[in-house]
Amino acid sequence: AQKITQTQPGMFVQEKEAVTLDCTYDTSDQSYGLFWYKQPSSGEMIFLIYQGSYDEQNATEGRYSLNFQKARKSANLVISASQLGDSAMYFCAMRENNFNKFYFGSGTKLNVKP
Amino acid sequence: IAGITQAPTSQILAAGRRMTLRCTQDMRHNAMYWYRQDLGLGLRLIHYSNTAGTTGKGEVPDGYSVSRANTDDFPLTLASAVPSQTSVYFCASSEGNEQFFGPGTRLTVL
């Protein structure tokens, strides 16, 4: 079974609007971490935000926030006030803390329109 | 500049040849990882190491081997390359709740 599912292969958003990128995960572990990464066309992987399974509050980092719904096993990324430079691939990932292994989703390609 | 270096940047390899992708980090992180990235599949974990002297298998370990003789280096070896191993390979290290990635190696096996 897929550990991480990203159901939106591609999305468009108007500049300055907010956008939500979906991510659901599958684990039986109690201790895990959820991550989002950005990969621009240049290819490097850029860490955006982290949420621990025991964190009660949603993580925020500047314009990025993670909408963590533990019972639904979802960890959606919300980007507020989209900018043209946000156009990139976005990957959701999970770390199962028992073995410190990471699993990535297939990604969502976000295009920000001017 | 602190970070992760990978070599080579890109390589074209004949099927059946042996190849080692190099990865070095200078952040003294205990955990290191090798991923392959294929279009539509995201990143898939090949092998990982939680500390020097130990390694573990990821999702797609077949055809690959790793070693971790010291903290800084984590080479990935393809003993006998096959065309299905054509991919972009990323090395990463982690400490705490962040994972740092190298720039990647683009490998083509013909």
PDB file of all heavy atoms in Angstrom, chain B residues 44-65:
ATOM      1  N   ARG B  44      11.967   7.608  -4.148  1.00  0.00           N
ATOM      2  CA  ARG B  44      11.852   6.312  -3.491  1.00  0.00           C
ATOM      3  C   ARG B  44      13.169   5.984  -2.798  1.00  0.00           C
ATOM      4  O   ARG B  44      14.239   6.117  -3.402  1.00  0.00           O
ATOM      5  CB  ARG B  44      11.477   5.230  -4.507  1.00  0.00           C
ATOM      6  CG  ARG B  44      10.054   5.373  -5.063  1.00  0.00           C
ATOM      7  CD  ARG B  44       9.718   4.279  -6.042  1.00  0.00           C
ATOM      8  NE  ARG B  44      10.505   4.380  -7.268  1.00  0.00           N
ATOM      9  CZ  ARG B  44      10.578   3.443  -8.202  1.00  0.00           C
ATOM     10  NH1 ARG B  44       9.926   2.285  -8.041  1.00  0.00           N
ATOM     11  NH2 ARG B  44      11.301   3.627  -9.296  1.00  0.00           N
ATOM     12  N   LEU B  45      13.061   5.528  -1.569  1.00  0.00           N
ATOM     13  CA  LEU B  45      14.235   5.253  -0.757  1.00  0.00           C
ATOM     14  C   LEU B  45      14.892   3.956  -1.205  1.00  0.00           C
ATOM     15  O   LEU B  45      14.238   2.913  -1.294  1.00  0.00           O
ATOM     16  CB  LEU B  45      13.819   5.162   0.716  1.00  0.00           C
ATOM     17  CG  LEU B  45      14.926   4.933   1.736  1.00  0.00           C
ATOM     18  CD1 LEU B  45      15.897   6.110   1.772  1.00  0.00           C
ATOM     19  CD2 LEU B  45      14.315   4.702   3.128  1.00  0.00           C
ATOM     20  N   ILE B  46      16.200   4.026  -1.454  1.00  0.00           N
ATOM     21  CA  ILE B  46      16.943   2.843  -1.887  1.00  0.00           C
ATOM     22  C   ILE B  46      17.570   2.163  -0.672  1.00  0.00           C
ATOM     23  O   ILE B  46      17.324   0.988  -0.387  1.00  0.00           O
ATOM     24  CB  ILE B  46      18.036   3.225  -2.901  1.00  0.00           C
ATOM     25  CG1 ILE B  46      17.434   3.978  -4.096  1.00  0.00           C
ATOM     26  CG2 ILE B  46      18.769   1.977  -3.392  1.00  0.00           C
ATOM     27  CD1 ILE B  46      18.480   4.582  -5.022  1.00  0.00           C
ATOM     28  N   HIS B  47      18.432   2.904   0.007  1.00  0.00           N
ATOM     29  CA  HIS B  47      19.088   2.432   1.225  1.00  0.00           C
ATOM     30  C   HIS B  47      19.248   3.613   2.167  1.00  0.00           C
ATOM     31  O   HIS B  47      19.219   4.769   1.735  1.00  0.00           O
ATOM     32  CB  HIS B  47      20.482   1.856   0.929  1.00  0.00           C
ATOM     33  CG  HIS B  47      20.486   0.511   0.291  1.00  0.00           C
ATOM     34  ND1 HIS B  47      20.157  -0.640   0.970  1.00  0.00           N
ATOM     35  CD2 HIS B  47      20.790   0.137  -0.977  1.00  0.00           C
ATOM     36  CE1 HIS B  47      20.271  -1.673   0.146  1.00  0.00           C
ATOM     37  NE2 HIS B  47      20.640  -1.230  -1.038  1.00  0.00           N
ATOM     38  N   TYR B  48      19.421   3.293   3.438  1.00  0.00           N
ATOM     39  CA  TYR B  48      19.650   4.335   4.414  1.00  0.00           C
ATOM     40  C   TYR B  48      20.650   3.841   5.457  1.00  0.00           C
ATOM     41  O   TYR B  48      20.946   2.645   5.540  1.00  0.00           O
ATOM     42  CB  TYR B  48      18.342   4.774   5.078  1.00  0.00           C
ATOM     43  CG  TYR B  48      17.713   3.713   5.949  1.00  0.00           C
ATOM     44  CD1 TYR B  48      17.828   3.757   7.336  1.00  0.00           C
ATOM     45  CD2 TYR B  48      16.973   2.671   5.386  1.00  0.00           C
ATOM     46  CE1 TYR B  48      17.260   2.794   8.129  1.00  0.00           C
ATOM     47  CE2 TYR B  48      16.401   1.693   6.171  1.00  0.00           C
ATOM     48  CZ  TYR B  48      16.529   1.759   7.544  1.00  0.00           C
ATOM     49  OH  TYR B  48      15.956   0.791   8.340  1.00  0.00           O
ATOM     50  N   SER B  49      21.140   4.815   6.232  1.00  0.00           N
ATOM     51  CA  SER B  49      22.076   4.487   7.306  1.00  0.00           C
ATOM     52  C   SER B  49      21.805   5.430   8.461  1.00  0.00           C
ATOM     53  O   SER B  49      21.836   6.645   8.280  1.00  0.00           O
ATOM     54  CB  SER B  49      23.522   4.658   6.819  1.00  0.00           C
ATOM     55  OG  SER B  49      24.427   4.608   7.903  1.00  0.00           O
ATOM     56  N   ASN B  50      21.529   4.886   9.622  1.00  0.00           N
ATOM     57  CA  ASN B  50      21.221   5.733  10.777  1.00  0.00           C
ATOM     58  C   ASN B  50      22.460   6.150  11.552  1.00  0.00           C
ATOM     59  O   ASN B  50      22.391   7.075  12.370  1.00  0.00           O
ATOM     60  CB  ASN B  50      20.229   5.039  11.707  1.00  0.00           C
ATOM     61  CG  ASN B  50      18.809   5.081  11.156  1.00  0.00           C
ATOM     62  OD1 ASN B  50      18.438   6.040  10.478  1.00  0.00           O
ATOM     63  ND2 ASN B  50      18.016   4.056  11.420  1.00  0.00           N
ATOM     64  N   THR B  51      23.566   5.469  11.301  1.00  0.00           N
ATOM     65  CA  THR B  51      24.830   5.848  11.930  1.00  0.00           C
ATOM     66  C   THR B  51      25.954   5.108  11.218  1.00  0.00           C
ATOM     67  O   THR B  51      25.707   4.096  10.541  1.00  0.00           O
ATOM     68  CB  THR B  51      24.807   5.519  13.432  1.00  0.00           C
ATOM     69  OG1 THR B  51      25.943   6.106  14.062  1.00  0.00           O
ATOM     70  CG2 THR B  51      24.797   4.040  13.682  1.00  0.00           C
ATOM     71  N   ALA B  52      27.153   5.615  11.370  1.00  0.00           N
ATOM     72  CA  ALA B  52      28.299   4.952  10.734  1.00  0.00           C
ATOM     73  C   ALA B  52      28.366   3.496  11.177  1.00  0.00           C
ATOM     74  O   ALA B  52      28.184   3.174  12.343  1.00  0.00           O
ATOM     75  CB  ALA B  52      29.589   5.683  11.103  1.00  0.00           C
ATOM     76  N   GLY B  53      28.596   2.625  10.188  1.00  0.00           N
ATOM     77  CA  GLY B  53      28.705   1.200  10.472  1.00  0.00           C
ATOM     78  C   GLY B  53      27.423   0.421  10.319  1.00  0.00           C
ATOM     79  O   GLY B  53      27.428  -0.816  10.369  1.00  0.00           O
ATOM     80  N   THR B  54      26.293   1.122  10.119  1.00  0.00           N
ATOM     81  CA  THR B  54      25.008   0.434   9.945  1.00  0.00           C
ATOM     82  C   THR B  54      24.330   0.907   8.672  1.00  0.00           C
ATOM     83  O   THR B  54      24.450   2.072   8.277  1.00  0.00           O
ATOM     84  CB  THR B  54      24.056   0.696  11.123  1.00  0.00           C
ATOM     85  OG1 THR B  54      23.644   2.065  11.105  1.00  0.00           O
ATOM     86  CG2 THR B  54      24.717   0.385  12.449  1.00  0.00           C
ATOM     87  N   THR B  55      23.617  -0.002   8.013  1.00  0.00           N
ATOM     88  CA  THR B  55      22.832   0.354   6.837  1.00  0.00           C
ATOM     89  C   THR B  55      21.523  -0.425   6.864  1.00  0.00           C
ATOM     90  O   THR B  55      21.420  -1.455   7.551  1.00  0.00           O
ATOM     91  CB  THR B  55      23.565   0.045   5.520  1.00  0.00           C
ATOM     92  OG1 THR B  55      23.806  -1.358   5.430  1.00  0.00           O
ATOM     93  CG2 THR B  55      24.885   0.798   5.433  1.00  0.00           C
ATOM     94  N   GLY B  56      20.543   0.053   6.112  1.00  0.00           N
ATOM     95  CA  GLY B  56      19.264  -0.630   6.025  1.00  0.00           C
ATOM     96  C   GLY B  56      18.680  -0.500   4.642  1.00  0.00           C
ATOM     97  O   GLY B  56      19.054   0.408   3.884  1.00  0.00           O
ATOM     98  N   LYS B  57      17.773  -1.397   4.304  1.00  0.00           N
ATOM     99  CA  LYS B  57      17.145  -1.383   2.988  1.00  0.00           C
ATOM    100  C   LYS B  57      15.916  -0.494   2.993  1.00  0.00           C
ATOM    101  O   LYS B  57      15.140  -0.492   3.943  1.00  0.00           O
ATOM    102  CB  LYS B  57      16.735  -2.802   2.589  1.00  0.00           C
ATOM    103  CG  LYS B  57      17.901  -3.733   2.358  1.00  0.00           C
ATOM    104  CD  LYS B  57      17.430  -5.102   1.920  1.00  0.00           C
ATOM    105  CE  LYS B  57      18.613  -6.033   1.678  1.00  0.00           C
ATOM    106  NZ  LYS B  57      18.169  -7.390   1.254  1.00  0.00           N
ATOM    107  N   GLY B  58      15.741   0.230   1.885  1.00  0.00           N
ATOM    108  CA  GLY B  58      14.559   1.040   1.699  1.00  0.00           C
ATOM    109  C   GLY B  58      13.514   0.320   0.866  1.00  0.00           C
ATOM    110  O   GLY B  58      13.410  -0.900   0.900  1.00  0.00           O
ATOM    111  N   GLU B  59      12.762   1.093   0.087  1.00  0.00           N
ATOM    112  CA  GLU B  59      11.679   0.537  -0.731  1.00  0.00           C
ATOM    113  C   GLU B  59      12.187  -0.223  -1.945  1.00  0.00           C
ATOM    114  O   GLU B  59      11.565  -1.202  -2.385  1.00  0.00           O
ATOM    115  CB  GLU B  59      10.781   1.667  -1.237  1.00  0.00           C
ATOM    116  CG  GLU B  59      10.008   2.418  -0.200  1.00  0.00           C
ATOM    117  CD  GLU B  59       9.232   3.554  -0.853  1.00  0.00           C
ATOM    118  OE1 GLU B  59       8.114   3.305  -1.343  1.00  0.00           O
ATOM    119  OE2 GLU B  59       9.751   4.694  -0.888  1.00  0.00           O
ATOM    120  N   VAL B  60      13.276   0.257  -2.549  1.00  0.00           N
ATOM    121  CA  VAL B  60      13.750  -0.310  -3.817  1.00  0.00           C
ATOM    122  C   VAL B  60      15.245  -0.628  -3.762  1.00  0.00           C
ATOM    123  O   VAL B  60      16.050  -0.058  -4.496  1.00  0.00           O
ATOM    124  CB  VAL B  60      13.426   0.649  -4.993  1.00  0.00           C
ATOM    125  CG1 VAL B  60      11.946   0.668  -5.294  1.00  0.00           C
ATOM    126  CG2 VAL B  60      13.925   2.066  -4.705  1.00  0.00           C
ATOM    127  N   PRO B  61      15.672  -1.574  -2.922  1.00  0.00           N
ATOM    128  CA  PRO B  61      17.107  -1.820  -2.733  1.00  0.00           C
ATOM    129  C   PRO B  61      17.763  -2.725  -3.766  1.00  0.00           C
ATOM    130  O   PRO B  61      18.997  -2.741  -3.879  1.00  0.00           O
ATOM    131  CB  PRO B  61      17.128  -2.498  -1.363  1.00  0.00           C
ATOM    132  CG  PRO B  61      15.823  -3.242  -1.315  1.00  0.00           C
ATOM    133  CD  PRO B  61      14.835  -2.372  -2.039  1.00  0.00           C
ATOM    134  N   ASP B  62      16.953  -3.466  -4.530  1.00  0.00           N
ATOM    135  CA  ASP B  62      17.537  -4.479  -5.412  1.00  0.00           C
ATOM    136  C   ASP B  62      18.407  -3.860  -6.496  1.00  0.00           C
ATOM    137  O   ASP B  62      18.008  -2.930  -7.187  1.00  0.00           O
ATOM    138  CB  ASP B  62      16.419  -5.324  -6.048  1.00  0.00           C
ATOM    139  CG  ASP B  62      15.658  -6.142  -5.026  1.00  0.00           C
ATOM    140  OD1 ASP B  62      16.187  -6.314  -3.901  1.00  0.00           O
ATOM    141  OD2 ASP B  62      14.555  -6.610  -5.332  1.00  0.00           O
ATOM    142  N   GLY B  63      19.614  -4.424  -6.638  1.00  0.00           N
ATOM    143  CA  GLY B  63      20.556  -3.932  -7.644  1.00  0.00           C
ATOM    144  C   GLY B  63      21.496  -2.863  -7.123  1.00  0.00           C
ATOM    145  O   GLY B  63      22.374  -2.410  -7.862  1.00  0.00           O
ATOM    146  N   TYR B  64      21.305  -2.476  -5.860  1.00  0.00           N
ATOM    147  CA  TYR B  64      22.120  -1.427  -5.252  1.00  0.00           C
ATOM    148  C   TYR B  64      22.741  -1.922  -3.942  1.00  0.00           C
ATOM    149  O   TYR B  64      22.125  -2.711  -3.229  1.00  0.00           O
ATOM    150  CB  TYR B  64      21.278  -0.197  -4.921  1.00  0.00           C
ATOM    151  CG  TYR B  64      20.503   0.392  -6.057  1.00  0.00           C
ATOM    152  CD1 TYR B  64      19.161   0.042  -6.259  1.00  0.00           C
ATOM    153  CD2 TYR B  64      21.072   1.323  -6.924  1.00  0.00           C
ATOM    154  CE1 TYR B  64      18.426   0.579  -7.290  1.00  0.00           C
ATOM    155  CE2 TYR B  64      20.336   1.880  -7.954  1.00  0.00           C
ATOM    156  CZ  TYR B  64      19.013   1.506  -8.132  1.00  0.00           C
ATOM    157  OH  TYR B  64      18.287   2.052  -9.153  1.00  0.00           O
ATOM    158  N   SER B  65      23.922  -1.402  -3.630  1.00  0.00           N
ATOM    159  CA  SER B  65      24.518  -1.660  -2.319  1.00  0.00           C
ATOM    160  C   SER B  65      25.130  -0.373  -1.799  1.00  0.00           C
ATOM    161  O   SER B  65      25.460   0.535  -2.573  1.00  0.00           O
ATOM    162  CB  SER B  65      25.574  -2.768  -2.400  1.00  0.00           C
ATOM    163  OG  SER B  65      26.653  -2.357  -3.228  1.00  0.00           O
TER     164      SER B  65
END
